[in-house]
Amino acid sequence: MQVSNSEISVLVNGVYDEKVTPILLKSIHKKLPNSKIILTTWENSKIPQEIAVLCNKIVYNKDPGFEYNDPNRKIENNILRILYSIEQGLKYCDGKYILRLRSDMVIFNTNFLKEFNKFKKRDTKMSLFKRKIIAHSFVTTDFIEQNSYKHFTPFHISDWYHFGFEEDIKELYNLPPIENIIEYSRYFETHERIEPYDMDCLNQRLWKFPVEQYIGVNNAKKIIKNLDFPHFQFYKKVDLDLSRSFIVNNFIILETAQSGIGILKDRYKKINKSLLKNLHPYLYNGLWTYERYKVFYNKYNTSFIKSTDISVVVQGAINAKNTKMSLETIRKNLPQAEIILSTWENSDTTSLSDYDIIIFNKDIKKDKRQEGKNSNVARHIYCTFAGIKKATRKYVLKIRSDIALNDTTFLNSFDKYNNFEENYRVFKKRIIISSFFTRNSSVSNWIYHPSDWCYFGLREDMYNLFDIPLPEEENNFYLEKNPPANKEYFNSGMTVRYWSEQYIFVECLLKNKKQIDFKDYTDLTPLSRFKSEHYILNNFVVLDYQNGFNITFLKYPMKEEWCQGRLEILNFEKWEKQYFKNCEPKIKYVLYKIRKNLKWEKILKKRF
């Protein structure tokens, strides 16, 4: 969407500084030549005629005053001035878009207009505005810290400038009035602090909120109805995930390098060159830099798949502690999902409540000889398929009853990899799985071996995967009655034809009439490895354990030696490389390799 300069009202608010404000106004005229400029400042400001003519409208406001917000009455709280000045200027903004700036800013270029068309994914239930509003990185903060103390700052969004649709900017500043500026600014003179602060930037603050948080919190309350955040010290009672989700779904956070909008105030000039790391650590460490914004955007922005579209099948035996934690983490991260607990009859579920449907399956008992010992693969298939058949939503997440779901980052990868080698494709969309224990078919001693801990995909694909016969004697005792395909890889204790994970995927492939010619688990020829690699590539997205697929196996901790050497797993980096090499056009594979090669990336940056 192209933004025309003539559609923009530029609102400049604040003290008229005879040195820096003219530079700002001239930069607006140069970079946004057909925009409407409104300057809202204070009565008795002396603005030369040659500067005044640059503005379409100048609003001279009566000063609403301020109050000191420190015990020694040295630090002015200008929140009334800031909000009143903006409120009066917004009355004259009538373009499709509004760019609101402090009077000591400057426009170097209009890169922010390009960024406005990015980061479109959003969660509608967390979205207040028609379109995301652009804001500056400084001082949009996640936390501030000093010494060993860290103070989180939920909903703390920079007020230096904002760009967005007219109705959105006006809604941003549609705020409840501050009835008593003295009581607001000197709040902790009459209210007890929750805890002492050993921080230079906080121990002298008496206000309820800084202006950045006042704006952010009161906008968040418009859609987070039960938000209980009465003052800035109350942060420990606030869900930080909620704050971050609100920011990524309503704002685009840019540094000067990305926006082209900087500041002329001497104290902050250095950040114009994106030298944020030169700031004091207590400010820099918790800033929403552009890179941090992108990380949070990917982590919290799952707009295209909502929890209302997901059925979660929690499958397996009940463990009072682990299953309770599993259900709680699922409910927290997918609050409106349909949670189906599929377990065994006579299971004790009295301590569990975070589910919508419970299925008590008749226990089919363990397989007698699977993998040289008793195994639960038949139980796994039976229990999971019972849950999938009850699922009513478009998507299904299958998760073991002893696994915790830490976040929903994995949803961002679901519809991202959509090219296929059709000969190897079974499902309508790829199913997401974990790297633990998806074996690397090119080197591991196990092939056709995708992880069976968690799966996420379309319900129809999940149904396809688990609509298979249960393993019986033909599989469980196969290598007692038949010679192994390759004696080198045969283990006399493993009488099965296929391992558990192999059995599920291989049976699904055979049912879908795929000619895999995979005789048994020892069949590790170059051809079988090749086919395994391509079938896994074209039917699954493999995300890293506790990273892209952020889950925790509660039963026992994972160890590195379980995924190396002959046990090597297929991690996301290896999987993605295979994807670009085999499924995307060649030019994209070349670009992928360049992107992964920092040496070439530096050369390209120098040349272009």
Side-chain angles (χ1 to χ4, degrees):
M1 178 176 56
Q2 190 71 27
V3 178
S4 171
N5 293 341
S6 60
E7 298 176 304
I8 302 174
S9 294
V10 184
L11 172 59
V12 178
N13 70 281
V15 174
Y16 178 82
D17 185 296
E18 62 182 14
K19 179 181 178 182
V20 298
T21 307
I23 297 175
L24 168 60
L25 294 172
K26 290 175 183 178
S27 73
I28 297 169
H29 246 274
K30 182 178 180 180
K31 302 300 180 182
L32 299 168
N34 297 313
S35 61
K36 179 180 179 180
I37 303 176
I38 301 101
L39 172 62
T40 172
T41 187
W42 308 114
E43 57 186 7
N44 303 320
S45 297
K46 295 180 181 180
I47 304 175
Q49 180 60 24
E50 66 269 20
I51 301 301
V53 297
L54 299 176
C55 303
N56 298 89
K57 177 70 177 179
I58 300 178
V59 183
Y60 294 96
N61 302 295
K62 184 177 180 180
D63 189 347
F66 69 94
E67 179 54 51
Y68 294 104
N69 66 4
D70 68 301
N72 298 319
R73 295 184 178 269
K74 293 181 179 179
I75 305 173
E76 296 180 3
N77 181 11
N78 287 315
I79 189 169
L80 280 187
R81 288 171 166 170
I82 293 168
L83 298 180
Y84 183 73
S85 175
I86 293 171
E87 176 189 350
Q88 296 306 305
L90 287 174
K91 295 177 181 179
Y92 300 94
C93 294
D94 53 10
K96 185 176 180 180
Y97 307 94
I98 293 176
L99 171 61
R100 186 210 60 78
L101 307 119
R102 284 170 45 146
S103 57
D104 53 5
M105 306 292 288
V106 63
I107 300 179
F108 297 117
N109 57 60
T110 58
N111 284 350
F112 66 94
L113 296 179
K114 298 175 185 176
E115 296 292 331
F116 186 62
N117 289 314
K118 299 180 181 179
F119 305 103
K120 292 181 180 179
K121 290 191 298 184
R122 58 199 315 211
D123 185 345
T124 54
K125 75 176 185 297
M126 289 297 292
S127 299
L128 174 61
F129 307 119
K130 178 180 177 181
R131 188 79 169 269
K132 293 181 185 180
I133 291 172
I134 293 177
H136 202 291
S137 171
F138 194 89
V139 282
T140 301
T141 57
D142 199 46
F143 60 86
I144 50 180
E145 65 179 347
Q146 189 171 356
N147 302 321
S148 60
Y149 191 88
K150 182 181 288 188
H151 171 90
F152 285 91
T153 53
F155 309 105
H156 195 289
I157 301 151
S158 174
D159 66 337
W160 279 15
Y161 75 85
H162 295 117
F163 176 79
F165 280 117
E166 176 197 7
E167 60 262 47
D168 291 339
I169 300 299
K170 289 183 176 180
E171 182 60 43
L172 178 67
Y173 287 98
N174 178 20
L175 301 167
I178 296 173
E179 302 292 351
N180 188 326
I181 187 61
I182 297 176
E183 181 181 328
Y184 184 90
S185 301
R186 309 189 69 77
Y187 182 81
F188 285 106
E189 278 188 341
T190 55
H191 295 77
E192 186 178 355
R193 290 181 182 267
I194 292 177
E195 57 185 283
Y197 285 91
D198 184 22
M199 301 183 75
D200 295 341
C201 58
L202 290 178
N203 58 10
Q204 294 295 309
R205 292 296 193 270
L206 299 174
W207 56 21
K208 289 183 75 172
F209 286 112
V211 62
E212 299 89 348
Q213 261 186 320
Y214 180 81
I215 295 170
V217 169
N218 281 290
N219 275 283
K221 284 181 176 179
K222 296 172 185 177
I223 55 174
I224 306 172
K225 300 303 181 184
N226 297 319
L227 179 60
D228 184 18
F229 195 16
H231 55 75
F232 80 94
Q233 281 206 345
F234 208 68
Y235 72 91
K236 288 185 179 179
K237 301 291 185 180
V238 177
D239 187 339
L240 292 173
D241 288 329
L242 205 61
S243 167
R244 293 163 180 167
S245 179
F246 175 78
I247 292 176
V248 298
N249 283 288
N250 290 283
F251 297 91
I252 299 172
I253 307 301
L254 305 178
E255 298 174 43
T256 299
Q258 291 82 36
S259 67
I261 300 176
I263 191 163
L264 296 172
K265 193 170 185 176
D266 287 339
R267 182 180 177 184
Y268 300 117
K269 270 186 179 180
K270 61 184 176 182
I271 73 169
N272 290 339
K273 296 181 180 179
S274 199
L275 300 177
L276 290 175
K277 289 186 177 179
N278 291 341
L279 294 169
H280 193 290
Y282 81 78
L283 281 177
Y284 174 75
N285 291 346
L287 273 185
W288 280 63
T289 61
Y290 183 61
E291 290 303 317
R292 176 173 283 177
Y293 174 79
K294 288 192 291 184
V295 170
F296 283 150
Y297 173 80
N298 288 326
K299 180 174 182 179
Y300 293 99
N301 202 316
T302 58
S303 61
F304 65 99
I305 299 179
K306 302 175 178 60
S307 63
T308 52
D309 297 327
I310 300 173
S311 294
V312 184
V313 176
V314 183
Q315 157 270 323
I318 301 298
N319 174 284
K321 179 181 178 182
N322 292 344
T323 306
K324 188 174 189 295
M325 184 179 296
S326 175
L327 291 169
E328 287 174 350
T329 58
I330 293 166
R331 183 63 80 194
K332 176 184 176 182
N333 289 289
L334 296 168
Q336 294 175 294
E338 174 186 63
I339 301 180
I340 302 166
L341 178 58
S342 184
T343 187
W344 307 110
E345 58 188 4
N346 301 320
S347 297
D348 182 3
T349 60
T350 54
S351 64
L352 309 177
S353 59
D354 283 304
Y355 58 83
D356 300 297
I357 299 169
I358 189 165
I359 304 170
F360 291 105
N361 301 289
K362 183 177 180 180
D363 194 347
I364 60 174
K365 306 302 180 182
K366 296 178 180 180
D367 300 319
K368 293 180 180 178
R369 291 290 299 276
Q370 181 80 351
E371 299 170 16
K373 58 182 180 180
N374 288 340
S375 169
N376 285 315
V377 65
R379 278 175 157 181
H380 180 187
I381 297 168
Y382 186 86
C383 199
T384 299
F385 194 48
I388 293 172
K389 287 189 288 187
K390 287 284 186 181
T392 64
R393 308 285 176 85
K394 181 178 179 180
Y395 306 95
V396 168
L397 168 66
K398 195 288 295 189
I399 189 167
R400 285 176 50 138
S401 57
D402 52 9
I403 286 180
L405 179 67
N406 300 322
D407 62 43
T408 58
T409 309
F410 67 95
L411 294 177
N412 296 309
S413 297
F414 176 71
D415 209 23
K416 188 175 181 180
Y417 303 95
N418 286 319
N419 286 340
F420 297 85
E421 299 171 290
E422 290 296 335
N423 289 342
Y424 297 98
R425 180 181 183 180
V426 170
F427 306 127
K428 185 176 180 181
K429 294 278 189 180
R430 284 181 172 88
I431 291 173
I432 292 175
I433 57 175
S434 171
S435 57
F436 272 106
F437 288 107
T438 300
R439 302 299 183 187
N440 186 349
S441 299
S442 63
V443 296
S444 169
N445 280 12
W446 287 266
I447 62 176
Y448 291 103
H449 198 285
S451 173
D452 64 351
W453 285 2
C454 297
Y455 303 89
F456 178 83
L458 292 171
R459 181 188 180 278
E460 61 196 275
D461 291 334
M462 295 290 288
Y463 192 101
N464 187 353
L465 178 61
F466 280 93
D467 184 17
I468 56 176
L470 299 180
E472 294 179 353
E473 184 172 342
E474 181 183 357
N475 182 73
N476 298 346
F477 297 89
Y478 182 84
L479 292 181
E480 279 189 351
K481 301 176 181 180
N482 299 279
N486 190 331
K487 292 183 179 179
E488 180 184 352
Y489 301 106
F490 175 61
N491 184 325
S492 60
M494 306 296 185
T495 66
V496 298
R497 185 175 189 180
Y498 306 122
W499 284 59
S500 298
E501 296 87 345
Q502 289 176 327
Y503 181 86
I504 295 171
F505 189 38
V506 166
E507 286 295 323
C508 177
L509 292 174
L510 292 173
K511 178 193 68 175
N512 285 278
K513 303 187 185 310
K514 295 297 181 181
Q515 303 300 315
I516 60 173
D517 191 28
F518 181 48
K519 298 179 179 65
D520 59 59
Y521 72 81
T522 70
D523 189 7
L524 301 178
T525 65
L527 179 60
S528 64
R529 287 185 182 277
F530 176 87
K531 284 188 175 183
S532 170
E533 179 177 295
H534 286 265
Y535 275 115
I536 290 176
L537 170 63
N538 285 278
N539 291 286
F540 300 100
V541 178
V542 182
L543 300 181
D544 291 334
Y545 174 69
Q546 291 192 326
N547 190 1
F549 210 154
N550 191 1
I551 57 175
T552 300
F553 192 25
L554 302 171
K555 196 171 183 178
Y556 43 73
M558 295 296 94
K559 298 179 180 179
E560 284 298 315
E561 59 262 32
W562 295 348
C563 57
Q564 298 172 346
R566 65 187 183 90
L567 302 173
E568 182 175 313
I569 64 170
L570 180 66
N571 61 23
F572 174 69
E573 183 179 1
K574 295 169 189 171
W575 179 90
E576 190 181 45
K577 182 178 180 180
Q578 290 178 10
Y579 172 80
F580 279 102
K581 181 179 181 180
N582 296 287
C583 301
E584 290 282 6
K586 287 185 179 180
I587 183 62
K588 286 198 174 183
Y589 179 51
V590 172
L591 293 173
Y592 168 80
K593 290 199 294 184
I594 291 173
R595 193 169 71 245
K596 292 296 181 181
N597 189 321
L598 295 179
K599 176 183 175 182
W600 278 102
E601 190 175 74
K602 290 176 182 177
I603 292 172
L604 287 171
K605 282 183 177 179
K606 287 181 180 179
R607 289 191 63 183
F608 301 105

